[in-house]
Amino acid sequence: MTRPLPFAPRNLVAALLLVLLGVWGLWLGFRSQDAALRELARNSFLLVALTLAVALPLGTQLAALVFRTDLPAAAWWRALVILPLFIPLPVFAGLWKATLGTQGLLTVLTGKAWDMGLLPAAATHAVAALPWVVLVVGLGLRSVEPELEEAALLDASALSVFLRVTLRRAGGSLLCAALLVAALVLGEMALTNLFNFRSYAEEVYVYFSTNGALSPLTLAGVPGMVLLAVLLGLAFGGILTHDPRQWETLWRGGFVFRLGRWKWPATALLAAVTSATLGVLLWILVSRVGMESQRVAAAPADSQAALVSGKDYVRAWSAEAALRTFQDALGSERREEWLASLLHSGLAAVLAVATALPLAWWMHARPRAAPGLGMLLGVLLAVPGPVLALGLIMLFNRPGPLGYVYDSMWILVLGLALRVWPFVLLAVWAPIRLLPRTLLDAARVDGAGPWQLFRYLQLPLSLGPALLGLLVGITLSLGELPVSLLLQRPGSMPLSVDIFNLLHAGVYNDVAAITLVLIALVFGLGAGMILIAGLMRRRLMAE
Amino acid sequence: MPARLLAAFASLAAVFCTGCGSGEPEVVVYTALDREFSEPILKQFTAETGIRALPVYDVESTKTVGLVQRIMAESNRPQCDVFWNNEIVNTLRLKEAGLLDVYRPAAAEAFPGAFKSTDGTWHGFAARARILIVNTDLVDRDAYPASIFDLTDDTWKGRVGIAKPIAGTTATHAACLFAALGDEKAKQFFRDLKANGVRILSGNKQVAESVAAGELAVGLTDTDDAMGEIRDARPVAIAYLDAADDQIGTLFIPNTLAIVKGCPHPEQARALVDYLISPAVEAALAKGPSAQIPLNPSVEVPVQVMAPSQIHAMQVDFEQAAARWDSVQQFINQEFLVP
């Protein structure tokens, strides 16, 4: 009698592909004949590796703390840790530069700026990736079967059960989180561009923008993209075919690990670190907003223009300057642009939800289609943003009806919709997945036709998921950069592009003001999402 | 139900038509001059003429080249009316590609011949200089490099910064050096610079910031980026290289204006060019934070940096520089930028 495999065949395939991806990346980075390709491959590989080395362990520990323990006010801690994933990536770069850039607070104190190269790029990516890791791993930890843990607790300590049972059962979510972070880092060029660190996505974007063609190095990255797409497809396929009982555990919440005597010290430590971090960041931003220069020496005559130097000026903080910065940074033009950005993001989210919802209902009745859909999601996520935008430009920038789309804002809306679609689909599918299939079957047996099913069952039940999907789509597309850069239309600069350009141009006062407003906006929208998710959860539990 | 459906379709149609044009006159301008400098000018234009300016600003990582590629890619169906470039070589590339329209604004008559085209396809105004920004805490006044070639000395090993010369004024500077020095001498200069450990940064602003922070002693950048650090009270000063008569001189790069052939709003485009090339705009740019240098002799305002009339300016044939663009970029990408 053969022994069963200790793990699912899908996991074995995924592990093999992961090893293959790593080997391929290392080979390109160290053995390729092309020096430029070696540099790009090595940089991209190191960037992902370092990001994961920081974000994965830290995020897993945070996820365990806020999702599976009796930490006081755990729901609020979850919100605080997860909501930053909706903050546009360039904002993280702005915060980093404000802290450790050439005029950063810590730079002034230590005398050393730290805003170029691999380490700042990886550190910023790690900070931005942390909420993603906490969310994905946390959901995985939360969906572990409580009966397994309770049974194991009879013979082992809580820590032992957590490490040997819980973490092991949630291993798939760790892999998912790692793959998601890898895809996001590899497909993104904002941070590498700002921190002057060459990466594959940035090379694709810069080469196309300056030459109007695909970089010869683009093709070299295709095998990696394919491998990553398959891996992500397997991961998403696994999520989409997850045991419904585990989904129910996820929504209802399972076994809670007691922190015991560590409960209040852990809470105090978490509160102290969070307060200190938020406090320092807010102070940095507010001090940036109010800084202004004043001339202390007389303006030079023409013949003395050669002698002008920094000694002729002095910088000081004032509340009036802060107010002026807010007024300038959030003036009528920028408010119009923000509204335009909201409109584009809103339309992109509507487009994404309108296509994701029917698909979610279709899959509800056909769970076997999940692996195929998972592969589609994997492909969409694995394709770097610049490559997606190039594809749209090549497709639509031509005479005829397609050209009308290219000339309008809809090309940007389409690009944004494609970028956020995987996340929107997951957001609308998850609550629909929990609905019993017998619900629709029973209505059919009672004589309901397709229109009646839609009108009286699917439509009302779709409102909550649709709203959640809209919020996810809007917040994610507001922060999207690569597609926005290449597809922006005359007269309306997307918000993420605006921040990106301001950072490049060194207009840090405006960036600080915009960052403060954005953080308030994101947490406001995020609170709305949490409220909706909570209401849906209570409704589903009641049913 | 039909009424609700009609209302839903009407809403959808309204949303679909959003951005289909407001009916008021408008002009689309692709501008490479930083938004903080060009936006106030464009706002003023709209206020005075009622023509709504719809700008597309360049992206710092790709600058003018990114905009030029976009214009080229859209050449079958132009969307841009006016190209406001903050340098000249890429405007000439568009001219060579036959993508520019002819227009001779009356105000262009006053400009020197070197800063306007003979065929009316482009017009130069408001220049900046390529200079060396120096950290005054690290470098004494009498130790400032006097020539661009001094940057290849061991004294400056690992202490010099330059922006990636694939876009913007740094790329223009590279093309002009090739035109002024000849291919071999220019290539040798860049090879020597690379061998001397030059730090290649993402943009002129980053070069200026790095020098101001003391990470580098000196850096090649533009006057507006250097003035930004000076106004921030950073320990920096400007050095004008090759100022002696027997040296190659300081490169002054004008802004250039051009109307795209076949543009959708030609009348509004001409109005915008007339406005931008006016003495009032040059004066505003000179007095403003970008510290531009007026090229119209009739504009008499205090200039914050040195003008071509005050120091030895590089004599360069911009058309030759534009003709060399592809070969220079090939060298830069395949040799200078390769680790």
Side-chain angles (χ1 to χ4, degrees):
Chain A
M1 184 173 163
T2 54
R3 289 176 64 184
L5 285 173
F7 33 74
R10 181 180 56 227
N11 291 351
L12 178 60
V13 172
L16 283 172
L17 287 174
L18 198 57
V19 168
L20 201 59
L21 184 62
V23 166
W24 175 81
L26 282 169
W27 180 84
L28 263 189
F30 294 97
R31 303 290 293 177
S32 170
Q33 298 295 317
D34 189 322
L37 182 59
R38 272 204 310 274
E39 188 199 15
L40 288 179
R42 200 163 45 233
N43 285 354
S44 303
F45 182 84
L46 287 172
L47 186 64
V48 170
L50 268 179
T51 302
L52 286 174
V54 173
L56 211 53
L58 188 58
T60 302
Q61 289 170 66
L62 269 174
L65 199 58
V66 302
F67 275 91
R68 292 304 311 273
T69 68
D70 59 345
L71 189 76
W76 287 104
W77 286 115
R78 281 198 291 274
L80 198 61
V81 175
I82 291 171
L83 282 177
L85 72 84
F86 295 113
I87 294 176
L89 198 55
V91 171
F92 285 98
L95 287 169
W96 186 275
K97 280 185 175 282
T99 316
L100 287 158
T102 53
Q103 293 186 49
L105 174 73
L106 293 184
T107 305
V108 171
L109 293 175
T110 63
K112 172 94 176 76
W114 193 42
D115 66 349
M116 291 215 189
L118 170 65
L119 290 180
T124 312
H125 264 300
V127 170
L130 203 59
W132 289 100
V133 174
V134 172
L135 176 66
V136 174
V137 174
L139 291 178
L141 289 173
R142 198 173 152 101
S143 65
V144 172
E145 300 91 327
E147 54 271 17
L148 290 178
E149 292 165 330
E150 284 161 2
L153 273 170
L154 296 173
D155 297 315
S157 67
L159 181 62
S160 185
V161 168
F162 177 79
L163 291 173
R164 292 181 173 202
V165 178
T166 312
L167 209 54
R168 217 165 154 183
R169 287 293 290 170
S173 66
L174 266 101
L175 181 62
C176 280
L179 288 172
L180 182 63
V181 169
L184 291 174
V185 170
L186 285 171
E188 225 294 320
M189 37 66 69
L191 296 188
T192 50
N193 193 271
L194 284 167
F195 292 125
N196 200 35
F197 184 69
R198 287 189 76 201
S199 70
Y200 177 74
E202 196 223 355
E203 165 72 12
V204 170
Y205 161 71
V206 170
Y207 193 91
F208 178 78
S209 297
T210 54
N211 293 277
L214 286 176
S215 162
L217 300 175
T218 307
L219 284 176
V222 168
M225 268 196 284
V226 170
L227 279 172
L228 189 59
V230 172
L231 273 166
L232 283 165
L234 287 172
F236 279 117
I239 292 173
L240 296 174
T241 53
H242 222 35
D243 190 333
R245 288 171 298 178
Q246 285 181 288
W247 279 106
E248 201 163 324
T249 307
L250 190 156
W251 279 97
R252 293 180 188 277
F255 176 78
V256 174
F257 288 92
R258 306 282 167 198
L259 289 169
R261 67 174 189 269
W262 295 106
K263 181 172 171 179
W264 293 108
T267 308
L269 182 63
L270 205 55
V273 169
T274 307
S275 308
T277 307
L278 285 176
V280 166
L281 286 175
L282 275 172
W283 183 50
I284 288 170
L285 290 172
V286 170
S287 62
R288 276 281 172 132
V289 166
M291 285 297 268
E292 65 172 352
S293 294
Q294 285 175 354
R295 196 181 187 94
V296 292
D302 281 1
S303 59
Q304 293 176 329
L307 302 175
V308 69
S309 77
K311 295 187 176 87
D312 302 333
Y313 293 83
V314 69
R315 279 170 69 79
W317 191 92
S318 73
E320 290 81 14
L323 191 60
R324 259 199 317 278
T325 303
F326 268 110
Q327 286 169 341
D328 290 343
L330 305 173
S332 57
E333 283 77 26
R334 192 160 267 128
R335 280 202 302 275
E336 277 181 26
E337 283 182 353
W338 283 37
L339 286 172
S341 277
L342 268 173
L343 173 68
H344 299 146
S345 297
L347 289 171
V350 166
L351 196 57
V353 167
T355 47
L357 258 180
L359 194 58
W361 280 110
W362 184 79
M363 280 173 52
H364 185 258
R366 295 167 187 79
R368 286 176 187 269
L373 187 63
M375 206 52 67
L376 174 64
L377 293 178
V379 167
L380 279 174
L381 265 184
V383 173
V387 173
L388 178 67
L390 297 192
L392 288 173
I393 291 170
M394 288 175 180
L395 181 61
F396 285 93
N397 183 22
R398 59 185 68 212
L402 293 177
Y404 288 114
V405 175
Y406 181 79
D407 293 346
S408 72
M409 68 167 183
W410 290 99
I411 188 70
L412 176 61
V413 170
L414 182 61
L416 292 175
L418 284 169
R419 285 286 276 173
V420 304
W421 196 78
F423 304 103
V424 169
L425 176 69
L426 287 173
V428 305
W429 170 85
I432 289 175
R433 176 74 175 86
L434 282 176
L435 297 170
R437 288 198 192 96
T438 51
L439 199 65
L440 293 176
D441 292 340
R444 284 193 195 96
V445 165
D446 287 344
W451 171 250
Q452 286 161 318
L453 280 175
F454 172 74
R455 172 80 174 84
Y456 297 107
L457 266 183
Q458 290 173 317
L459 192 58
L461 289 172
S462 296
L463 288 179
L467 207 49
L468 185 64
L470 278 174
L471 281 173
V472 167
I474 287 171
T475 35
L476 286 178
S477 56
L478 270 178
E480 197 284 335
L481 184 65
V483 163
S484 305
L485 267 173
L486 286 165
L487 299 179
Q488 59 174 315
R489 298 293 94 198
S492 73
M493 179 181 282
L495 176 64
S496 52
V497 175
D498 192 15
I499 298 172
F500 180 70
N501 264 355
L502 285 172
L503 281 169
H504 256 297
V507 189
Y508 300 122
N509 293 20
D510 283 11
V511 173
I514 292 170
T515 300
L516 283 166
V517 173
L518 266 180
I519 287 174
L521 199 65
V522 161
F523 275 82
L525 281 173
M529 270 187 284
I530 290 168
L531 196 65
I532 291 167
L535 286 170
M536 282 198 305
R537 179 169 165 265
R538 275 194 282 277
R539 189 177 170 186
L540 285 164
M541 281 170 65
E543 288 168 2
Chain B
M1 181 60 78
R4 285 189 198 174
L5 273 175
L6 273 174
F9 277 125
S11 307
L12 276 172
V15 168
F16 185 79
C17 290
T18 301
C20 289
S22 56
E24 57 182 350
E26 55 191 31
V27 61
V28 174
V29 51
Y30 288 8
T31 172
L33 187 64
D34 291 349
R35 179 180 183 170
E36 59 176 313
F37 309 138
S38 54
E39 188 177 43
I41 308 282
L42 293 173
K43 275 169 52 178
Q44 190 59 29
F45 167 75
T46 299
E48 290 183 18
T49 64
I51 300 171
R52 195 166 157 234
L54 300 176
V56 172
Y57 299 99
D58 72 344
V59 178
E60 285 301 315
S61 51
T62 55
K63 299 299 292 177
T64 59
V65 183
L67 290 177
V68 162
Q69 281 303 329
R70 187 165 167 160
I71 291 172
M72 286 180 172
E74 294 167 353
S75 56
N76 284 340
R77 301 161 44 255
Q79 293 199 12
C80 171
D81 295 308
V82 174
F83 179 40
W84 177 359
N85 192 0
N86 65 355
E87 52 91 28
I88 183 170
V89 167
N90 279 280
T91 304
L92 292 171
R93 290 179 66 218
L94 287 177
K95 178 199 155 185
E96 285 309 307
L99 296 178
L100 301 183
D101 213 347
V102 173
Y103 177 58
R104 291 187 168 83
E109 290 301 314
F111 285 78
F115 299 115
K116 60 187 177 190
S117 67
T118 50
D119 59 3
T121 49
W122 60 269
H123 310 279
F125 73 116
R128 292 174 296 163
R130 291 289 295 171
I131 50 87
L132 197 71
I133 184 171
V134 182
N135 185 298
T136 52
D137 287 345
L138 298 176
V139 186
D140 292 333
R141 183 71 183 87
D142 52 8
Y144 285 11
S147 164
I148 199 169
F149 298 102
D150 291 346
L151 302 178
T152 61
D153 289 347
D154 282 344
T155 316
W156 306 106
K157 194 170 186 70
R159 305 170 71 199
V160 180
I162 187 173
K164 208 181 284 188
I166 60 170
T169 51
T170 309
T172 300
H173 195 178
C176 290
L177 282 174
F178 272 73
L181 300 173
D183 286 0
E184 282 318 305
K185 198 169 177 190
K187 283 182 184 176
Q188 194 56 50
F189 165 71
F190 279 101
R191 287 178 185 132
D192 292 342
L193 205 59
K194 183 177 174 181
N196 210 29
V198 66
R199 286 268 304 274
I200 301 171
L201 305 177
S202 56
N204 285 321
K205 183 65 183 177
Q206 284 65 41
V207 169
E209 285 184 339
S210 288
V211 172
E215 294 169 357
L216 296 165
V218 298
L220 283 167
T221 188
D222 299 335
T223 38
D224 59 338
D225 295 299
M227 284 302 295
E229 297 306 307
I230 286 173
R231 272 196 303 278
D232 279 349
R234 310 305 299 283
V236 292
I238 291 175
Y240 295 86
L241 298 175
D242 299 293
D245 288 339
D246 61 342
Q247 291 176 311
I248 60 169
T250 295
L251 177 63
F252 286 87
I253 303 177
N255 281 255
T256 49
L257 296 170
I259 296 178
V260 176
K261 191 180 281 184
C263 66
H265 313 100
E267 196 182 315
Q268 291 81 3
R270 286 190 282 271
L272 180 58
V273 169
D274 286 339
Y275 181 81
L276 291 175
I277 211 167
S278 64
V281 167
E282 272 209 307
L285 288 171
K287 285 186 280 192
S290 63
Q292 310 266 336
I293 304 159
L295 297 177
N296 187 335
S298 69
V299 175
E300 291 177 355
V301 292
V303 179
Q304 301 178 59
V305 295
M306 302 296 278
S309 56
Q310 296 170 296
I311 59 171
H312 178 44
M314 187 190 288
Q315 300 302 308
V316 62
D317 185 335
F318 289 117
E319 305 255 4
Q320 266 200 36
R324 282 177 154 79
W325 178 267
D326 288 337
S327 61
V328 172
Q329 285 299 301
Q330 191 174 18
F331 167 78
I332 294 292
N333 279 295
Q334 292 179 0
E335 198 170 326
F336 185 65
L337 291 179
V338 173

